[in-house]
Amino acid sequence: MTEKVPHKALVVVTDGIGARFFRNTGNALHIALSAEGDFKPSNLLDDGPSGARPVEQSQQATDEATFAKQLAKELYRRAHSGDFAAFVLIADPQTLGQMRPLLHKEVQERMTAEIGKTLTNASVADIQKALKTLSL
């Protein structure tokens, strides 16, 4: 059985407007997250989402799609530079759906688990609790 949250795994907690990065300083059985910073959207109007924007889509939805694309690029940059061998993606269901097709193969191969929940503003203890359910 593959460890879902191995030692040094990157844990990314995101929604459509921001992301928090954590590192598991514990192990798969005793998860201990250490904060590694935030990732915020930038130049949303200049960058734009991946693909064409439907006419009926709100500006907020477009911004969230653009951020999902930016985060996918950041994860690729980090994976390609050797920053992580394993990672877990925790995102609200909409963001998770937007990100899946945008993740580079190099990133997809390192993803050990995903959780479809909104935990961006949750405490570290609550995020660790959600991760522990992966091991059950």
Side-chain angles (χ1 to χ4, degrees), residues 13-71:
V13 183
T14 188
D15 57 21
I17 58 173
R20 295 165 62 193
F21 293 107
F22 298 92
R23 189 75 60 173
N24 183 15
T25 56
N27 58 44
L29 297 176
H30 302 287
I31 297 167
L33 296 181
S34 174
E36 280 203 352
D38 299 333
F39 184 76
K40 300 288 182 199
S42 61
N43 301 322
L44 292 174
L45 292 175
D46 294 335
D47 197 6
S50 184
R53 175 181 178 218
V55 177
E56 67 280 357
Q57 186 172 348
S58 70
Q59 186 60 49
Q60 179 181 349
T62 299
D63 290 348
E64 290 174 2
T66 302
F67 176 67
K69 180 180 84 172
Q70 291 176 352
L71 181 56

